[in-house]
Amino acid sequence: DSGVTQTPKHLITATGQRVTLRCSPRSGDLSVYWYQQSLDQGLQFLIQYYNGEERAKGNILERFSAQQFPDLHSELNLSSLELGDSALYFCASSVGAGAANYGYTFGSGTRLTVV
Amino acid sequence: AQRVTQPEKLLSVFKGAPVELKCNYSYSGSPELFWYVQYSRQRLQLLLRHISRESIKGFTADLNKGETSFHLKKPFAQEEDSAMYYCALSGALHFGGYNKLIFGAGTRLAVHP
């Protein structure tokens, strides 16, 4: 167990729907990062939050949004889902605002299937 | 621009053969480099940090600033090494002062019996 908890592990939903993915960072970590991993692509950075504030944005679609709550857990909201949104969504956390010397700790991911 | 390049999508070797997974980076400052491993699309696990100069599961990686490389090596591959390997770069410059990990595209290592 890495200490980063992601729920649910699997999600199957229809096109056009909206889903929420949840991430609890490792205890003591203030930063949360979201990544998308499709079959034909590597890791795509979506967004980072640090202590409740958005810190960095990557290739995140407008249909997607995220937030980090006062207890530091984070949610990634995906709406108007398309078949191409089917992917593994990983959450990672780090102690500070960045990777520093320790890198990130990853969760086990949520496998989203859009049918 | 900050970039991590892993030139090989797939590296296929036989058990017992030496392995070298290539990683080149582009960064103007002093980088911190990492290798992550992902087994069967499970979570990414930190394998090595260049700053700690450690050896994990027989893998080593040396930072070569002259060649801007951080290749991952293992003298004798095992079947259980089959996985996806990602090289990542962290640097404070140009990221608003905050270190962000930039990942390479990954190399799939397949070790055959």
Side-chain angles (χ1 to χ4, degrees), chain A residues 2 33 35 37-39 42-43 45 55-56 88 90 97-104 106-108 111, chain B residues 9 32 34 36 38 40-46 49 51 84 86 90 98-105:
Chain A
S2 68
Y33 310 82
Y35 285 85
Q37 186 181 43
S38 305
L39 267 178
L43 282 168
F45 169 67
R55 182 63 73 190
L88 266 171
F90 285 106
N101 296 334
Y102 305 102
Y104 299 167
F106 279 83
S108 299
R111 186 179 299 276
Chain B
K9 277 194 169 181
E32 291 159 9
F34 306 82
Y36 281 82
Q38 185 185 28
S40 302
R41 289 176 69 76
Q42 296 174 20
R43 71 177 183 89
L44 276 78
Q45 302 175 44
L46 182 62
R49 298 175 293 156
I51 197 166
M84 195 74 174
Y86 289 95
S90 169
Y98 298 100
N99 295 10
K100 187 162 69 91
L101 274 185
I102 302 292
F103 284 89

Side-chain angles (χ1 to χ4, degrees), chain A residues 23-59:
Chain A
C23 169
S24 293
R26 195 179 56 164
S27 178
D29 285 358
L30 299 178
S31 274
V32 169
Y33 310 82
W34 286 98
Y35 285 85
Q36 181 192 56
Q37 186 181 43
S38 305
L39 267 178
D40 57 349
Q41 293 187 13
L43 282 168
Q44 300 291 318
F45 169 67
L46 296 178
I47 198 164
Q48 176 200 357
Y49 279 83
Y50 172 69
N51 205 20
E53 291 186 6
E54 182 184 303
R55 182 63 73 190
K57 230 172 184 176
N59 301 321

Side-chain angles (χ1 to χ4, degrees), chain A residues 1 9 29 31 41 63 69-70 73 79 81 84 104-105 114:
Chain A
D1 181 10
K9 289 192 184 308
D29 285 358
S31 274
Q41 293 187 13
R63 300 184 284 110
F69 294 87
H73 91 271
S79 61
L81 284 167
Y104 299 167
T105 302
V114 182

Side-chain angles (χ1 to χ4, degrees), chain A residues 49-104:
Chain A
Y49 279 83
Y50 172 69
N51 205 20
E53 291 186 6
E54 182 184 303
R55 182 63 73 190
K57 230 172 184 176
N59 301 321
I60 187 166
L61 299 172
E62 284 190 14
R63 300 184 284 110
F64 296 179
S65 65
Q67 54 184 328
Q68 186 180 29
F69 294 87
D71 67 352
L72 300 177
H73 91 271
S74 177
E75 292 181 357
L76 178 67
N77 300 297
L78 315 176
S79 61
S80 303
L81 284 167
E82 302 174 359
L83 295 177
D85 297 327
S86 296
L88 266 171
Y89 290 85
F90 285 106
C91 169
S93 70
S94 67
V95 172
N101 296 334
Y102 305 102
Y104 299 167

